[in-house]
Amino acid sequence: MDAGALRRRNLSAVLDLVHRHGGVTRADLTRALGLNRSTIGDLVAVLVEHGWVDERDDAPRSGVGRPSPRVAPSDTRVVAAVNPELDVVDVALVSLGGQIVARRRVDLDHVPTVAETVTLTSHTVRELAADNPGVEVLAAGVAVPGLVRGRDGHVRLAPHLGWREEPLAAPLSVALGMPVAASNDAHLGCRAEQTFGAGVGTGTMLYLNGGPSGIGGGLVVDGRPMDGTAGYAGELGHLGLDPEGPACACGARGCLEALAPRDALVQAVGLEHPDDDALEAALVAAVADEVGGDAARAEVARQLRWLGIALRGAINLLNPERIVLGGHLAALWRCADESQRASLIADALPASAAEVTIEPAALGSQRLLIGAAELAWDGLIAAPIDAVQGAAVATA
Ligand SMILES: [Zn+2]
């Protein structure tokens, strides 16, 4: 590797660490990257000069010697994150470190088409940028409830949205005038939780995402995402549990997502268009209500039973260290009593389940947007200096 390539790789490695930890000291960087202090000082200076990081003298002082200033991510460089769903297009600006700077949920009374999603997104991103003067939107990522071809962001099938073989990243990139990537929503939720949430530091992790468009999943094996041959692994919502069960959007019967739909929980608490945080709060309150909570308690118990049957198969297959539940599945977990929680893994093989812990997603209703942003950050963090020089040329 020549000196220029090595330097670019090191700049990317420094920015990646600052991003993942939301800020680090120079001493942390020296330790983590095995580079000497003067090299780290030089790399940080380049990133400061190009606007990616600031140095702030607010690190906690400990030990002896000079305090190490904190290298913090710029809060003006942002990416746009988008999550189209059955009745909403959710749009956010996300800064380095996975922080949502601004967010707007555009409620709809119908299922959006791809063309409508592109128009609404580009309009909303411009509005959010105008409301936040000083931010610079560099790229965008889309979390799609369906199967997406990673290399070009082409939607193969999003059954609940009725999208089939539709280009998405390409037209949105034209509309926004910036690079756009798209991927499956549950894979991105998994990535967000692994990077910033309930899965940090885990080796083998299973993530289940419950949303208006059904249940998806993501897998992490030995600390790396396991996407399958073509990127479509982890579709745990279509584990077949009951051959006589209700018809599923995939065409089969008795899949987990047909047996444990978010909509049934929304109906049990009588809300309209709740986001995940609102649904969870209402469901927890309803289940705790001794007088009026019977319908909610019964639906929660019914869905937990099917979730336990699905997790039995998944645990026996993967022997995971952690299972993270997102969306309405996190709400189910929060509503469950101790015995219901224990029952989720009770029928798995004891050896396979011995070390597993189940946790609700730590990022709540932000997880899919933060995951979509990660996709947008990929290209920028891989080549931070090229990225801003490219942007400067594009706007010149
Ligand atoms: Zn199915």
Side-chain angles (χ1 to χ4, degrees), residues 66-390:
R66 281 190 302 154
S68 188
R70 196 166 69 95
V71 183
S74 150
D75 45 21
T76 56
R77 292 261 156 88
V78 300
V79 295
V82 190
N83 175 218
E85 259 297 350
L86 288 185
D87 52 6
V88 67
V89 177
D90 202 353
V91 183
L93 302 180
V94 185
S95 68
L96 284 164
Q99 298 297 312
I100 292 195
V101 173
R103 178 178 182 182
R104 186 158 301 159
R105 284 170 57 84
V106 183
D107 286 323
L108 302 170
D109 57 7
H110 57 277
V111 179
T113 63
V114 168
E116 195 175 11
T117 301
V118 167
T119 308
L120 276 175
T121 298
S122 70
H123 183 72
T124 307
V125 167
R126 286 192 175 87
E127 276 183 351
L128 291 174
D131 291 350
N132 291 272
V135 304
E136 188 184 358
V137 188
L138 295 172
V142 191
V144 180
L147 306 176
V148 183
R149 190 164 64 209
R151 79 183 136 78
D152 58 358
H154 172 99
V155 179
R156 302 297 310 277
L157 176 67
H160 296 263
L161 299 179
W163 298 359
R164 184 183 292 269
E165 301 300 349
E166 300 231 35
L168 172 63
L172 186 55
S173 178
V174 171
L176 286 170
M178 62 184 70
V180 177
S183 186
N184 172 262
D185 59 350
H187 285 202
L188 294 173
C190 183
R191 185 166 169 190
E193 288 293 326
Q194 190 203 4
T195 308
F196 299 113
V200 171
T202 54
T204 300
M205 163 179 153
L206 165 64
Y207 171 74
L208 276 118
N209 190 70
S213 291
I215 295 174
L219 306 173
V220 173
V221 176
D222 296 334
R224 305 173 71 88
M226 208 292 282
D227 290 340
T229 305
Y232 309 129
E235 288 292 341
L236 292 146
H238 300 286
L239 281 179
L241 306 181
D242 178 4
E244 314 299 324
C248 181
C250 73
R253 278 195 173 275
C255 297
L256 173 63
E257 78 167 41
L259 291 160
R262 182 182 192 269
D263 201 38
L265 297 173
V266 172
Q267 280 172 18
V269 293
L271 291 176
E272 277 185 35
H273 304 303
D275 75 4
D276 288 326
D277 297 336
L279 173 61
E280 183 174 302
L283 208 55
V284 167
V287 166
D289 180 353
E290 294 194 5
V291 184
D294 287 347
R297 272 191 297 275
E299 182 59 20
V300 165
R302 199 186 65 75
Q303 295 204 10
L304 281 168
R305 183 170 156 262
W306 289 116
L307 180 61
I309 294 172
L311 290 183
R312 182 206 307 172
I315 290 169
N316 291 345
L317 181 68
L318 283 170
N319 181 210
E321 174 185 353
R322 183 149 311 156
I323 294 171
V324 177
L325 302 174
H328 73 277
L329 303 179
L332 287 177
W333 173 258
R334 298 230 193 244
C335 290
D337 60 28
E338 282 307 314
S339 80
Q340 284 174 318
R341 289 182 181 183
S343 75
L344 287 179
I345 59 170
D347 290 333
L349 292 170
S352 303
E355 289 171 53
V356 73
T357 51
I358 302 181
E359 291 195 28
L363 304 173
S365 72
Q366 300 189 341
R367 68 200 185 284
L368 302 182
L369 292 170
I370 292 173
E374 285 299 287
L375 202 58
W377 283 121
D378 280 342
L380 299 167
I381 290 174
I385 308 308
D386 300 351
V388 287
Q389 283 172 348

